[in-house]
Amino acid sequence: MALINEHFLKLADNYLFSDIAKKVSSYKVMNPKAKVISLGIGDVTRPLPKSVCDAMHQAVNEMSDAKTFRGYGPDHGYSFLVEAIIKNEYATRGITLDANEVFVSDGAKSDTGNIGDILKRDNCVGITDPVYPVYIDTNVMAGRTGIFEDNKWSNIVYIPCTAENGFIPDLPPRRVDILYLCYPNNPTGTTLSKEELKKWVDYALKSDILILFDAAYERYIQDPEIPHSIYEIKGAKKVAIEFRSFSKTAGFTGIRCGYTIVPKELNGYSLAGKKVPLNNLWNRRQSTKFNGTSYITQRGAEAIYSSEGATQVKENIDYYMTNANILKNGLLETGIEVFGGDNAPYIWVKTPDNTPSWKFFEQLLFNTQIVGTPGVGFGPSGEGYFRFTAFGTRENTEEALCRLKKWI
Ligand SMILES: *Cc1c(COP(=O)(O)O)cnc(C)c1O
């Protein structure tokens, strides 16, 4: 008799985007002629950059010839990609990294979810609220979160980020051991300045806290003052793991490639109080449970660092950020309160008259045939907010804005 991990039962039917998909598909059944526009799920729509495709074609050719065929690759990524990441993403910002501090993977969702494998169940977890649901759900699976009451897990420390505090999280009200930060933020589209991020690094240094920093959207930063990596802050290598992804950067949501930085000077503690480098543990975890990202994928990822690749990636980012601008400015004209969208592909709006997020979702779908994401799906502080993405086509973004203006 196989006993199950009962923590999974707490999550049953709790996945935000499947709830949305169900509501949208039943609307479509009832209204088969409606032209529904989705500015909901956070997925890109632009095709892969040409240089990425060329590199992948070339890699396929290599795989078809016995002389250049490759089987299992290095667990943590081919050195051509690791070196390109270090050189282009970090050295340019004055951050030095060793090759064995970079772990290439199949994406940031797996890594932000799997990182819990190397951490004891009894850690107290802090999260900014609202945030990417993966952090909480994977901690639920690990049994770290306690019970769910009033839309909150009893053992999670929620750090609210709302219009009231300008979406700048205050230090947690009680001690945490692990803290998730996601900047630029999904879903609010807001960022932290260097000083604000420094506040967190200093706090983590002082209180021995591990920061899990998700920088999946760093490419969308337009303001040169905003940090792209937490390691731009002095001392951060002692307290932080950083997650990055090619998904939003270069359209790899369907190709799958990301990487995680675990600095060698970052330690966890054994129960006896002994310091243990987290790099060793993550290395051991990955080489046991993960067999590497495909060669073809890694060649594609490497190509974003060629000069044509970099230009093509920037064109796509500019396209989405123009959408963000159009949407944000258009919505501001209607008098709605709008946040984010300047350094991230997300627009976070306050629902008119404090309409609950799900009610607004339905009003919007029924009146304008636009799908967005209810803010409360990202956590209790998201109630009364709503997320639009800038990942649609230009045409759909403009059409959606037109409908929204008419309706509001
Ligand atoms: C989209 C997203 C990721 C992405 O992940 P991949 O698994 O690399 O596609 C990670 N973190 C956040 C906050 C995201 O929105």
Side-chain angles (χ1 to χ4, degrees), residues 39-218:
L39 301 179
I41 196 161
D43 196 358
V44 296
T45 52
R46 308 283 296 158
L48 287 170
K50 181 169 182 304
S51 56
V52 168
C53 295
D54 290 347
M56 291 174 79
H57 280 298
Q58 172 62 35
V60 171
N61 291 341
E62 287 175 44
M63 294 298 250
S64 69
D65 183 336
K67 287 198 287 297
T68 47
F69 168 77
R70 315 234 183 176
Y72 290 126
D75 289 334
H76 309 318
Y78 282 100
S79 61
F80 62 79
L81 180 56
V82 169
E83 295 305 330
I85 289 167
I86 292 174
K87 178 168 164 245
N88 294 283
E89 304 283 0
Y90 291 99
T92 47
R93 299 187 184 280
I95 299 159
T96 51
L97 289 176
D98 269 3
N100 51 14
E101 295 176 304
V102 180
F103 296 83
V104 173
S105 71
D106 64 352
K109 186 188 224 178
S110 334
D111 287 359
T112 52
N114 291 333
I115 198 72
D117 275 15
I118 66 167
L119 300 164
K120 196 172 163 69
R121 204 193 76 148
D122 311 71
N123 285 297
C124 178
V125 173
I127 56 144
T128 60
D129 171 38
V131 86
Y132 187 52
V134 172
Y135 313 148
I136 289 198
D137 289 0
T138 55
N139 278 292
V140 173
M141 292 172 180
R144 262 187 216 110
T145 54
I147 52 167
F148 195 62
E149 274 175 332
D150 300 333
N151 208 18
K152 281 190 179 177
W153 295 94
S154 56
N155 290 351
I156 294 259
V157 174
Y158 291 80
I159 305 166
C161 294
T162 60
E164 282 72 45
N165 61 10
F167 301 94
I168 314 258
D170 288 327
L171 295 175
R174 66 181 165 98
R175 207 202 130 69
V176 299
D177 304 296
I178 303 166
L179 176 84
Y180 290 84
L181 293 178
C182 171
Y183 288 97
N185 188 261
N186 176 9
T188 66
T190 56
T191 51
L192 290 186
S193 69
K194 271 213 171 93
E195 296 70 56
E196 286 147 8
L197 191 54
K198 183 174 184 302
K199 175 182 88 175
W200 284 98
V201 170
D202 290 347
Y203 174 71
L205 282 164
K206 196 171 96 228
S207 321
D208 252 324
I209 288 167
L210 171 64
I211 297 179
L212 301 175
F213 190 77
D214 185 344
Y217 295 96
E218 60 80 28

